[in-house]
Amino acid sequence: MDYSVVIGLEVHAELKTKSKIFCGCSTQFGSDQNTNVCPVCLGLPGVLPVVNKRVVEFAIRAGLALNCEILPFSKFDRKNYYYPDLPKNYQTSQYDLPICVNGYLDIEVNGETKRIGITRIHMEEDAGKLVHSGNITNSNYALVDYNRTGVPLIEIVSEPDIRSAEEAKAYLEALKSILEYIDVSDCKMQEGSLRCDANVSLRENEQAPFGTRTELKNLNSFRAVQKGLEYEIVRQAEVLDEGGKIIQETRSWDETKGITLSLRNKEQAHDYRYFPEPDLVPLQVSAEWVEEIRQSLPELPNARKQRLMEAYGLSSYDAGVITASQAMANYFDVVVGHGADAKAAANWLMGEVSKVLNASNISITEFAVTPENLASMLELMQKGTISSKIAKTVFEEMVASGKDPATIVKEKGLQQISNEGEIVAIVEAVLAANPQSVADFKAGKDRALGFLVGQIMKQTKGRANPELVNKLLKERIN
Amino acid sequence: MVDLFKLTAHELHERLVNKDVSAVEITKALFNRIDAVEQDVRCYITQTRELALAQAQATDEKIQRGDEISPLAGIPGAIKDNMCTKGIKTTCASKMLEHFVPPYDATVVERLADANAVFLGKTNMDEFAMGSSTENSAFMQTRNPWNLETVPGGSSGGSAAAVAASTAIWSLGSDTGGSIRQPASFCGTVGLKPTYGRVSRFGLVAFASSLDQIGPITKDVTDCALVMNAISGHDLKDSTSIPGNVPDFTKSLVNDVKGLKIGLPREYFVAGMNPEVEKAVRNAVAQLEKMGAQCLEISMPHTEYALTTYYIIAPAEASSNLARYDGVGFGHRAQGEDIVSMYKKTRSEGFGPEVQRRIVLGTYALSSGYYDAYYLKALKVRTLIKQDFDKAFEKVDVLLTPTSPTPAFKAGDISDPLSMYLQDVCTLPINLAGVPALSMPCGYVDGLPIGLQIIGKPLGEETILRVAYTFEQNNDYYKCLAPLGEV
Amino acid sequence: MKITPKDVAHVALLSRLEIPEDQVEKVTGQLNAILEYAEMLNKVNTDGVEPTAHVIPLSNVMREDEVEVSLARELALANAPEQDNGYFKVPKIVEG
């Protein structure tokens, strides 16, 4: 039968501070194992934590960007459990008084806007990394690297407002976009700086009480989030269809096999024994501090999208694609700022530019073509100096050499021929050489005109102004 | 010539400055004293003689150069073995940390080193500071220099006994529920638990983080002020450290209590208290009254709940603080075929029975379903206990009580955990309230010292020192040394 | 609330301690004695009383986001019971 899906996401984002949350060790990714460690993050006897102020700032930034209430009084707590990636065997986190609560994020799915509630955002320390010999089930030992221990995290917990795998993906994309905009996280899923766990359950209909949920882990990419959820939804539906019961448990997404596997039975209780962290004093966040941070926030994706739609008449889709990445939106603003036509700029960014970026797997900040040069190229097109066809040639050359378009056009002699006299001569020569086509056209075969245009373009190496060619051809034939 | 080891830090400082003796001579005198009596008292888990000589040498060079030296420069002392010392074993008297060598110094150790103090070694204690007799050490039994059949108290028994036995001029202890004051009381020394946050805890191996505090154990009140001057003050590495300037505590060494108001909380004069102890404390009060202090009896109604409150909060915090001893990064490891069995074996082998008992108790108090009934309830009662102190200090400047209901007891006499916990009934409310308190000798019973506890307001160490100094200067107790090695 | 040998076993697992079979009874008894004593807290009326987690009224103690020198790896690993190629080494991981 058809079930109604209920999903809530718990997203961990590593904050891009220079130092760790409770000590001065570097947060540098990819350092040699156990080199970014000190007595504090190794949890040696006698050490004490001191909170990194920027972590608190970043958490508040995220809270404001996600429309949260910033609690004026919040505190840290210890979450107690044994695992070798956790040197103290407790994680310093926030339990009953997280720094941000009651926010929301608007996402767009199939052209419709939907609001997903955000329950809370709290700060905590990351754990270390385990390297297993063989795989997790059959290895005889594990190796531990504590470099990541103490890297600051925020955990963003959504309300169970998400109703499909697609919505989950859209939520995660929108969240990533915001965290990048406000510059608090690199959000690189492949490096683990953005991680997502999902709680999934099914129920008979939208009004029915929530069913038993499973927690999905190891969703290491946007694709994995969608595929893992899709699989789990089908799996649960099959269990229910067969009259079975869903067991509350943690399941891991196996990317290669494309299935979810039970990790452990949650019943046997992770009793985390939270209690207030005695080594850290509470946080009192003043209204002034919140205001100061609010003032420093950049324009957020949704606002920026609205602006592009209103100012330039871009479609919701186009504006959404351009503003999904702040770097892309910034690029767009510079191109348009240099006088380029906004719609043409948008089309080029979503078309040729994105094609090049994807093919070479780079971000637009690393792109060889500066926004100023792209604007000049669009201007050349608009003025009729080059045709749209020639523009593609020029663009390729810009990508390859990084040269400005005017230089390329001049060097390669690619200026459009818009001089009537010059084109008339060619038109007459082509007409004289192709009497049959002229006759066909006169007989009503429109396709013949295309052939004649092609002949002229061939002779001018595509540089003849197409409008002028059309006009002159028709004049001469008639 | 007087035996150098018998002198106080301020007396030795004077001789150093006058070039009557050298720091190396003093240090060697202490070595000789240790050689003579350590086998009986057994205070030291680790001795650091080479380091001590090098430190003494450095002070002698300073003196030779004509540099000014700090009051503790060249003065040998001892550090409880739960404070981290870079490159020197720090065991917490536990098998778990038998071979642990910290790669860093505790802030107090750093500060004392900066003051050119001389480190003789690390002292014995109850394992992880859990106990009141130092019998819970995994390594050895420290005895009370006043009577070798009795315990020195605990958990800072090694530190108190070392000062009493003159095998250290000063020492550091830590106090979570009375662990400086009760051994100071048993050993006839001066011991101060400062206001929570006055002395940095960075590098102190945590027992119960919201209660732990480091403080000095010394032969007299003047030395107490000197060590406090060296170790107190804000530390950026301890978030619970109190910011702001610290007074010069020697300015409080004033022989005058006129006009001071002294409170006697009647709940501290408990049933089962040794009558000689009560008599000695009441005598002390009478003396101070004669000297112009105003004494009044007051009531602190929640005192009777302090013990229970403490024995929920402290083990709860300990259960989390001691989770890190798991055989992964440092310390003892037992063989286990998988991580869980390795954890369990390591911890069961590495921790002694009292530590395990408190971990189990604390884990239970925090566990789901019991948190509200035990832990949260205890935190609320803690508020009421603290309010008792706030109200008392609206009326009085200091409170006087016995430090311990009895003098030192015989080794092995108390085996029931609950009876042992009752040892701390007069001291642990002070930790729950976070206020400072000092213990000093105020008499003897059967040749064993009796401790007087002087409790002050938050950051009220100066008033405590003034009262203590006045009492000390008008009595001879500080001149009485343990009879050890005299016969 | 009386603690049972089963509770003791559960708490022992939570705290990763191995209490030998023949000791469980004794530990249970000792804990019950302590917890029985603790029952006296129920006599105290704590309605409307805020819990005290910290005795000193400090808040907002924070450090600047500055990188400090880390430990040399040899020192970080110096106390490790077992190490391998710059890593801490532990027995195979099973879920408890």
Side-chain angles (χ1 to χ4, degrees):
Chain A
M1 76 183 260
D2 262 357
Y3 295 95
S4 166
V5 177
V6 177
I7 298 170
L9 294 186
E10 290 169 11
V11 175
H12 286 91
E14 276 184 1
L15 300 177
K16 50 196 258 193
T17 53
K18 286 183 274 185
S19 64
K20 292 184 178 180
I21 182 168
F22 299 128
C23 66
C25 286
S26 166
T27 55
Q28 184 69 47
F29 180 81
S31 304
D32 281 352
Q33 62 273 25
N34 293 309
T35 52
N36 294 338
V37 293
C38 73
V40 175
C41 56
L42 288 171
L44 293 190
V47 297
L48 297 171
V50 185
V51 178
N52 182 340
K53 189 176 180 189
R54 183 150 300 156
V55 171
V56 181
E57 262 168 35
F58 280 6
I60 296 172
R61 259 174 105 75
L64 292 173
L66 294 166
N67 310 294
C68 290
E69 204 182 300
I70 311 301
L71 288 189
F73 183 93
S74 100
K75 67 180 174 76
F76 287 94
D77 301 273
R78 290 188 187 174
K79 177 180 182 179
N80 295 284
Y81 65 96
Y82 283 81
Y83 213 68
D85 62 2
L86 199 61
K88 304 185 297 288
N89 287 319
Y90 62 80
Q91 180 189 34
T92 301
S93 180
Q94 296 193 284
Y95 184 50
D96 55 341
L97 290 170
I99 188 148
C100 314
V101 296
N102 291 335
Y104 63 84
L105 172 57
D106 287 336
I107 60 167
E108 202 166 299
V109 182
N110 300 327
E112 290 197 13
T113 301
K114 180 167 178 184
R115 180 158 291 185
I116 308 296
I118 287 171
T119 317
R120 57 184 281 158
I121 303 176
H122 68 254
M123 300 173 276
E124 61 187 23
E125 56 184 334
D126 206 345
K129 267 190 182 155
L130 296 174
V131 182
H132 298 275
S133 67
N135 66 48
I136 189 161
T137 45
N138 68 12
S139 68
N140 288 319
Y141 63 88
L143 301 173
V144 196
D145 172 9
Y146 288 123
N147 280 347
R148 203 178 64 179
T149 306
V151 168
L153 293 175
I154 49 173
E155 179 174 342
I156 303 161
V157 181
S158 87
E159 289 288 303
D161 289 346
I162 298 166
R163 293 289 173 266
S164 68
E166 200 189 359
E167 281 183 22
K169 185 163 168 270
Y171 168 84
L172 196 59
E173 279 170 347
L175 191 58
K176 174 179 189 274
S177 168
I178 286 182
L179 296 178
E180 284 174 345
Y181 263 64
I182 61 174
D183 208 22
V184 301
S185 175
D186 284 331
C187 292
K188 290 181 182 162
M189 288 193 91
Q190 68 280 12
E191 287 182 9
S193 65
L194 189 73
R195 306 199 281 272
C196 178
D197 300 333
N199 288 306
V200 204
S201 66
L202 301 185
R203 54 180 168 171
E204 288 192 6
N205 57 62
E206 280 286 327
Q207 280 70 46
F210 290 164
T212 305
R213 64 190 158 85
T214 57
E215 187 183 3
L216 279 195
K217 288 195 177 287
N218 203 29
L219 302 170
N220 293 333
S221 65
F222 288 97
R223 197 187 113 87
V225 170
Q226 188 163 2
K227 294 285 164 201
L229 281 168
E230 280 168 1
Y231 175 88
E232 182 61 15
I233 290 164
V234 171
R235 188 193 70 85
Q236 288 193 14
E238 282 171 4
V239 172
L240 293 173
D241 282 344
E242 288 163 14
K245 275 200 173 131
I246 303 300
I247 304 161
Q248 185 171 337
E249 61 181 355
T250 303
R251 299 181 69 85
S252 177
W253 168 244
D254 186 323
E255 181 84 49
T256 46
K257 292 191 187 131
I259 56 170
T260 67
L261 291 165
S262 177
L263 267 188
R264 59 187 167 228
N265 205 323
K266 247 199 167 176
E267 278 170 337
Q268 195 237 334
H270 272 189
D271 185 344
Y272 290 127
R273 290 160 284 136
Y274 281 100
F275 75 104
E277 167 60 272
D279 290 331
L280 292 170
V281 298
L283 289 171
Q284 287 190 283
V285 179
S286 68
E288 292 76 45
W289 196 17
V290 173
E291 210 36 52
E292 195 183 302
I293 294 170
R294 195 192 302 279
Q295 292 308 319
S296 75
L297 283 179
E299 187 182 26
L300 296 176
N302 274 341
R304 196 157 190 176
K305 179 181 160 188
Q306 287 305 317
R307 177 167 65 81
L308 295 198
M309 288 165 68
E310 280 157 27
Y312 306 116
L314 294 190
S315 72
S316 168
Y317 177 82
D318 290 1
V321 172
I322 299 231
T323 55
S325 141
Q326 189 179 32
M328 179 74 86
N330 288 345
Y331 192 101
F332 174 84
D333 276 349
V334 178
V335 175
V336 175
H338 277 73
D341 175 67
K343 281 183 188 166
N347 285 338
W348 273 81
L349 281 179
M350 294 188 298
E352 299 303 314
V353 173
S354 292
K355 220 183 277 173
V356 173
L357 297 181
N358 291 339
S360 42
N361 197 18
I362 54 168
S363 108
I364 195 153
T365 50
E366 304 160 278
F367 190 39
V369 178
T370 65
E372 292 79 5
N373 282 350
L374 187 71
S376 318
M377 191 203 81
L378 293 172
E379 198 189 343
L380 290 176
M381 269 176 73
Q382 207 176 0
K383 284 197 309 203
T385 311
I386 54 174
S387 67
S388 57
K389 196 163 172 224
I390 291 293
K392 287 190 181 164
T393 315
V394 174
F395 178 75
E396 274 163 29
E397 185 59 27
M398 287 162 76
V399 171
S401 67
K403 283 183 185 166
D404 73 272
T407 308
I408 294 168
V409 167
K410 195 179 281 174
E411 279 176 5
K412 306 222 161 184
L414 294 172
Q415 304 92 316
Q416 184 159 257
I417 305 166
S418 298
N419 179 319
E420 250 192 70
E422 207 174 320
I423 294 176
V424 165
I426 300 166
V427 167
E428 283 177 348
V430 168
L431 288 178
N434 297 286
Q436 185 57 46
S437 296
V438 174
D440 286 351
F441 181 69
K442 281 182 174 164
K445 287 188 184 166
D446 284 351
R447 273 175 54 202
L449 188 70
F451 173 78
L452 294 169
V453 171
Q455 290 302 307
I456 294 161
M457 285 302 178
K458 203 172 170 185
Q459 294 213 7
T460 59
K461 295 195 177 112
R463 291 160 52 225
N465 182 329
E467 283 164 34
L468 214 49
V469 170
N470 268 315
K471 184 182 133 222
L472 293 173
L473 259 178
K474 285 179 186 162
E475 275 173 18
R476 297 291 145 182
I477 294 170
N478 296 331
Chain B
M1 183 180 157
V2 63
D3 287 324
L4 290 172
F5 60 80
K6 286 185 177 169
L7 301 180
T8 60
H10 58 94
E11 287 164 343
L12 289 168
H13 176 70
E14 210 173 307
R15 283 164 202 241
L16 280 174
V17 172
N18 293 337
K19 300 188 182 167
D20 295 338
V21 287
S22 71
V24 168
E25 282 170 320
I26 295 172
T27 302
K28 285 184 174 166
L30 267 294
F31 290 168
N32 289 337
R33 175 65 175 172
I34 293 171
D35 289 340
V37 302
E38 173 66 9
Q39 69 215 40
D40 296 327
V41 193
R42 309 204 68 191
C43 302
Y44 287 96
I45 292 177
T46 304
Q47 291 186 39
T48 53
R49 295 194 178 197
E50 258 178 61
L51 169 70
L53 280 177
Q55 288 171 320
Q57 187 77 47
T59 292
D60 284 339
E61 281 162 18
K62 268 194 166 181
I63 295 168
Q64 288 308 314
R65 280 200 304 268
D67 293 355
E68 204 176 309
I69 58 162
S70 79
L72 291 178
I75 314 292
I79 293 167
K80 188 177 180 180
D81 209 19
N82 62 350
M83 296 170 212
C84 286
T85 40
K86 188 174 177 174
I88 300 165
K89 270 197 313 178
T90 299
T91 69
C92 287
S94 178
K95 197 179 168 204
M96 188 62 91
L97 291 178
E98 191 170 0
H99 306 292
F100 175 64
V101 180
Y104 77 103
D105 273 329
T107 297
V108 286
V109 171
E110 224 166 49
R111 289 186 179 179
L112 284 166
D114 287 349
N116 295 111
V118 171
F119 299 149
L120 293 169
K122 308 291 293 287
T123 58
N124 196 24
M125 56 187 279
D126 285 301
E127 183 180 7
F128 282 100
M130 297 177 185
S132 309
S133 67
T134 311
E135 289 168 295
N136 291 337
S137 167
F139 305 130
M140 60 202 205
Q141 302 294 304
T142 299
R143 292 302 165 87
N144 191 322
W146 291 84
N147 178 344
L148 294 175
E149 288 183 3
T150 65
V151 300
S155 64
S156 310
S159 283
V163 172
S166 298
T167 54
I169 304 300
W170 55 268
S171 67
L172 290 187
S174 70
D175 190 317
T176 307
S179 281
I180 289 174
R181 292 158 288 155
Q182 186 253 18
S185 160
F186 279 17
C187 293
T189 59
V190 174
L192 172 65
K193 182 206 91 76
T195 308
Y196 184 83
R198 176 70 100 178
V199 177
S200 169
R201 292 184 296 117
F202 187 80
L204 169 67
V205 179
F207 161 15
S209 314
S210 79
L211 302 161
D212 295 341
Q213 190 64 191
I214 293 171
I217 295 174
T218 54
K219 293 178 177 178
D220 71 0
V221 177
T222 303
D223 282 4
C224 178
L226 292 175
V227 178
M228 278 298 287
N229 276 355
I231 63 174
S232 302
H234 187 234
D235 180 11
L236 293 170
K237 293 183 202 153
D238 178 357
S239 303
T240 62
S241 153
I242 297 170
N245 292 329
V246 176
D248 175 356
F249 291 110
T250 59
K251 296 253 163 68
S252 307
L253 303 171
V254 178
N255 186 351
D256 177 21
V257 289
K258 271 189 233 48
L260 277 185
K261 285 186 184 161
I262 294 174
L264 296 176
R266 71 173 73 94
E267 291 80 2
Y268 282 72
F269 295 84
V270 291
M273 173 172 290
N274 183 309
E276 292 298 317
V277 169
E278 175 159 3
K279 207 166 108 192
V281 172
R282 295 218 183 261
N283 276 342
V285 173
Q287 263 192 46
L288 290 165
E289 207 162 14
K290 246 186 234 162
M291 289 180 247
Q294 201 188 325
C295 296
L296 53 151
E297 192 165 286
I298 57 158
S299 171
M300 302 179 76
H302 296 94
T303 305
E304 65 167 312
Y305 304 112
L307 183 74
T308 303
T309 303
Y310 177 87
Y311 275 97
I312 292 169
I313 293 174
E317 291 184 13
S319 73
S320 173
N321 283 331
L322 271 61
R324 74 191 62 198
Y325 306 103
D326 61 359
V328 174
F330 47 83
H332 179 70
R333 175 191 289 189
Q335 292 308 309
E337 58 202 73
D338 62 48
I339 191 88
V340 175
S341 77
M342 186 279 275
Y343 281 159
K344 285 177 163 180
K345 281 187 190 152
T346 295
R347 291 167 61 77
S348 301
E349 286 178 10
F351 291 138
E354 181 59 27
V355 173
Q356 295 195 40
R357 182 154 43 240
R358 295 202 199 186
I359 291 173
V360 170
L361 179 62
T363 304
Y364 183 73
L366 287 175
S367 66
S368 125
Y370 303 100
Y371 181 90
D372 286 3
Y374 291 113
Y375 189 71
L376 188 62
K377 182 79 182 181
L379 290 188
K380 288 178 178 177
V381 178
R382 184 177 188 179
T383 305
L384 297 174
I385 291 165
K386 188 170 182 306
Q387 285 171 357
D388 276 359
F389 280 90
D390 294 343
K391 282 176 199 154
F393 287 123
E394 284 170 11
K395 293 188 213 124
V396 301
D397 298 302
V398 291
L399 298 165
L400 290 195
T401 74
T403 306
S404 173
T406 64
F409 49 89
K410 279 196 176 148
D413 259 12
I414 302 183
S415 57
D416 164 51
L418 201 52
S419 308
M420 190 65 95
Y421 298 170
L422 281 163
Q423 273 297 313
D424 298 327
V425 70
C426 296
T427 47
L428 44 79
I430 284 82
N431 298 75
L432 290 169
V435 297
L438 174 146
S439 178
M440 67 189 298
C442 69
Y444 301 92
V445 50
D446 302 330
L448 291 168
I450 297 169
L452 169 71
Q453 179 170 238
I454 309 170
I455 308 163
K457 298 175 186 180
L459 298 179
E461 284 88 349
E462 290 161 280
T463 313
I464 292 177
L465 288 171
R466 183 176 151 197
V467 175
Y469 186 73
T470 304
F471 182 75
E472 176 186 85
Q473 293 302 308
N474 289 281
N475 288 281
D476 280 340
Y477 304 119
Y478 71 98
K479 291 180 188 159
C480 302
L481 298 176
L484 190 76
E486 300 290 304
V487 258
Chain C
M1 268 177 272
K2 202 134 176 88
I3 186 168
T4 64
K6 205 181 147 208
D7 293 331
V8 170
H10 175 66
V11 170
L13 174 64
L14 278 181
S15 47
R16 297 295 186 269
L17 289 170
E18 206 166 48
I19 301 177
E21 289 281 319
D22 58 337
Q23 292 288 304
V24 171
E25 208 61 41
K26 188 179 147 205
V27 173
T28 308
Q30 284 175 339
L31 286 178
N32 266 321
I34 297 166
L35 291 171
E36 233 164 74
Y37 193 83
E39 293 293 313
M40 69 147 70
L41 285 195
N42 294 334
K43 287 195 290 180
V44 190
N45 181 359
T46 52
D47 293 349
V49 177
E50 286 295 315
T52 294
H54 293 92
V55 281
I56 38 167
L58 288 176
S59 63
N60 293 2
V61 176
M62 290 178 271
R63 44 174 272 272
E64 295 302 319
D65 181 26
E66 279 155 14
V67 175
E68 285 161 43
V69 182
S70 291
L71 269 185
R73 186 160 71 193
E74 308 87 78
L75 268 182
L77 287 156
N79 283 292
E82 208 180 345
Q83 53 176 296
D84 184 355
N85 189 31
Y87 290 97
F88 294 87
K89 190 173 177 185
V90 297
K92 74 173 170 201
I93 295 169
V94 291
E95 304 293 330

